[in-house]
């Protein structure tokens, strides 16, 4: 999970990472308990100084970033998505 949080921060910002976690929870990719734990990891990240204001996130994550996030989620869930078709990726991303 820490690797995933690191990925989200490096590719955007702490605020954008928090927005992504909220989005993933809203669409059902992660549950509330997992979202809370991931937010705790995010709050404890060395690049985070103080509280995160999600309203200050101009950076957005691309479809490729969300696709990679889904792969992290699948790995955490025990599902392996190392190789998957473009059609499968689009189906999952548009759930």
């Amino acid at each position: 999970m820490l690797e995933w949080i690191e990925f989200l921060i490096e590719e955007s910002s702490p605020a954008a990472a928090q927005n992504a976690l909220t989005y993933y929870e809203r669409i059902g990719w992660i549950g509330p308990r997992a979202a809370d734990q991931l937010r705790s990891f995010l709050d404890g990240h060395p690049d985070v100084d103080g509280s995160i204001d999600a309203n200050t996130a101009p950076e957005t994550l691309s479809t490729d970033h969300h696709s990679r996030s889904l792969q992290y989620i699948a790995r955490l869930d025990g599902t392996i998505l190392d190789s998957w078709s473009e059609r499968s990726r689009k189906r999952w991303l548009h759930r």
Side-chain angles (χ1 to χ4, degrees):
M1 282 201 279
L2 295 175
E3 179 184 337
W4 179 25
I5 294 298
E6 187 74 28
F7 163 74
L8 290 172
I9 291 172
E10 285 180 359
E11 294 295 320
S12 57
S13 70
Q18 182 163 320
N19 285 343
L21 294 176
T22 299
Y23 172 70
Y24 300 148
E25 182 181 14
R26 190 177 72 239
I27 65 172
W29 282 8
I30 58 176
R33 193 167 141 217
D36 288 343
Q37 187 173 15
L38 289 162
R39 285 187 194 99
S40 293
F41 289 144
L42 181 61
D43 289 340
H45 191 276
D47 288 349
V48 175
D49 51 357
S51 63
I52 300 169
D53 183 1
N55 295 321
T56 64
E59 303 89 351
T60 57
L61 294 165
S62 70
T63 302
D64 288 337
H65 293 116
H66 294 306
S67 176
R68 183 138 176 228
S69 284
L70 182 59
Q71 289 177 316
Y72 277 108
I73 292 165
R75 277 193 349 217
L76 293 171
D77 189 40
T79 308
I80 299 173
L81 294 177
D82 289 332
S83 63
W84 52 331
S85 69
E86 182 70 14
R87 182 177 174 191
S88 296
R89 182 179 68 85
K90 286 181 179 179
R91 187 183 79 235
W92 273 93
L93 289 173
H94 295 291
R95 287 176 79 184

